[in-house]
Amino acid sequence: MAMIECENCGTMYDESLDHCPECLSSVHETNDDGEECGGIFEPVSVWIKDKGRPELICRCQFCGALKTEPIEEDDNPVTIMSIASRPLANPPFPVERLQELTDLMGGQGDMSGYYRK
Amino acid sequence: MNRENKRRKYDKNYYKKNPCTDSFTCRNCGWPIVSAGAGSNHRNHCPNCLCSLHVDNEPGDRASDCGGIMEPIGVWVRGDGEWAIIHRCRRCGKLSSNRIAADDNPMKLMALAMKPVVSDFLDRGRLKEMLSSMQSQGDLI
Ligand SMILES: [Zn+2]
Ligand SMILES: [Zn+2]
Ligand SMILES: [Zn+2]
Ligand SMILES: [Zn+2]
């Protein structure tokens, strides 16, 4: 099994993996125009694809390119949880006023599901 | 066709240089969208359901022929602490990142942030095993 060193955190890992199993970063080799980039693809978010399959959303720190790729069985769970909770921990509005602010704009959706018995 | 409309039609960079002031109805949820008041020059997604249309290759260039609905799949925290929405085209899979606007539906934004946290995709059993191994004292030598 050939090993490579993660350019972001220095972990040695199996080169057949899409990303480093510890920091979940990878390298942006070439962009859509076929030009070399070399920037670090940083995991910025997690989303649940169809059938509940979790994927990383990665963004190149150098050129801003985006990609999604599956989370692997043995990817570091602490890293995953940290990435997934980042938006929640940095809300753009006071979370305690979520319902009130939504009602103000007449927007759809509410929190009633939680209180339903 | 007046001069302004002509510029819109023939200048492919028109919307990069000028704020879009058209009004339209969201193709996903029917919300009436007025471009002004978004707090940024490009009102590129519906303030209610946060969907947009795949019309750009690069933000604001209107150079794509796809026209698919771009669905919000997640949010991320930018370097400046602001949230941005990740959109993914239902038709072709193209991804893009767009800053949130002051009038975006907070309930839908928060639902995007909650989804990966609430869907317990990590194996509960393995997590509990890890927690106890994290807390264990081990043997003193
Ligand atoms: Zn790494
Ligand atoms: Zn890049
Ligand atoms: Zn809408
Ligand atoms: Zn598309």
Side-chain angles (χ1 to χ4, degrees):
Chain A
M1 171 162 82
M3 305 290 273
I4 48 169
E5 185 179 352
C6 173
E7 292 201 19
N8 184 55
C9 75
T11 298
M12 297 298 296
Y13 67 95
D14 177 358
E15 69 168 359
S16 68
L17 295 172
D18 286 337
H19 50 253
C20 168
E22 300 301 335
C23 73
L24 316 184
S25 299
S26 51
V27 172
H28 186 204
E29 307 283 357
T30 47
N31 65 21
D32 287 346
D33 301 328
E35 295 153 359
E36 259 179 64
C37 175
I40 302 257
F41 256 131
E42 178 196 8
V44 295
S45 196
V46 171
W47 77 295
I48 313 298
K49 216 186 171 176
D50 41 70
K51 300 189 189 96
R53 274 186 307 140
E55 289 199 335
L56 295 172
I57 302 172
C58 307
R59 182 176 178 278
C60 176
Q61 287 173 340
F62 184 70
C63 75
L66 296 164
K67 70 166 176 178
T68 56
E69 70 193 11
I71 288 176
E72 304 291 338
E73 272 285 286
D74 287 341
D75 281 347
N76 187 324
V78 181
T79 312
I80 297 169
M81 289 174 97
S82 173
I83 295 164
S85 51
R86 213 171 282 156
L88 262 187
N90 298 276
F93 44 77
V95 286
E96 66 276 15
R97 296 183 59 211
L98 177 60
Q99 186 69 66
E100 181 193 340
L101 292 170
T102 308
D103 294 344
L104 267 176
M105 74 163 286
Q108 295 172 331
D110 61 64
M111 291 169 60
S112 66
Y114 187 75
Y115 304 99
R116 236 176 258 149
K117 280 266 160 64
Chain B
M1 187 155 57
N2 69 30
R3 183 177 293 171
E4 198 62 13
N5 281 339
K6 228 177 207 165
R7 283 182 55 207
R8 257 180 232 197
K9 190 157 181 208
Y10 296 112
D11 179 357
K12 70 181 174 65
N13 287 323
Y14 181 87
Y15 288 106
K16 274 187 174 173
K17 292 176 268 182
N18 299 274
C20 169
T21 51
D22 303 335
S23 294
F24 50 102
T25 302
C26 173
R27 239 177 55 197
N28 185 59
C29 77
W31 193 263
I33 301 171
V34 195
S35 294
S40 86
N41 284 349
H42 298 291
R43 161 89 276 170
N44 77 345
H45 54 264
C46 169
N48 181 50
C49 73
L50 312 179
C51 284
S52 73
L53 288 182
H54 187 187
V55 291
D56 294 345
N57 285 334
E58 299 298 326
D61 68 4
R62 304 284 159 117
S64 172
D65 298 324
C66 175
I69 289 182
M70 307 254 326
E71 207 173 8
I73 62 167
V75 285
W76 66 288
V77 183
R78 305 186 335 156
D80 59 6
E82 263 197 82
W83 277 20
I85 301 172
I86 306 283
H87 283 105
R88 184 175 181 275
C89 181
R90 269 182 205 157
R91 188 179 286 170
C92 74
K94 156 105 178 165
L95 298 165
S96 75
S97 170
N98 299 282
R99 291 169 62 178
I100 60 168
D103 58 351
D104 281 347
N105 184 337
M107 195 63 72
K108 302 296 181 198
L109 284 175
M110 197 45 87
L112 283 175
M114 289 286 284
K115 196 169 176 186
V117 177
V118 171
S119 343
D120 48 3
F121 57 87
L122 291 171
D123 187 288
R124 284 278 131 188
R126 286 180 79 189
L127 287 177
K128 281 189 184 141
E129 290 293 328
M130 178 181 72
L131 189 59
S132 60
S133 67
M134 285 168 103
Q135 290 171 320
S136 85
Q137 308 272 53
D139 296 317
L140 290 177
I141 305 163

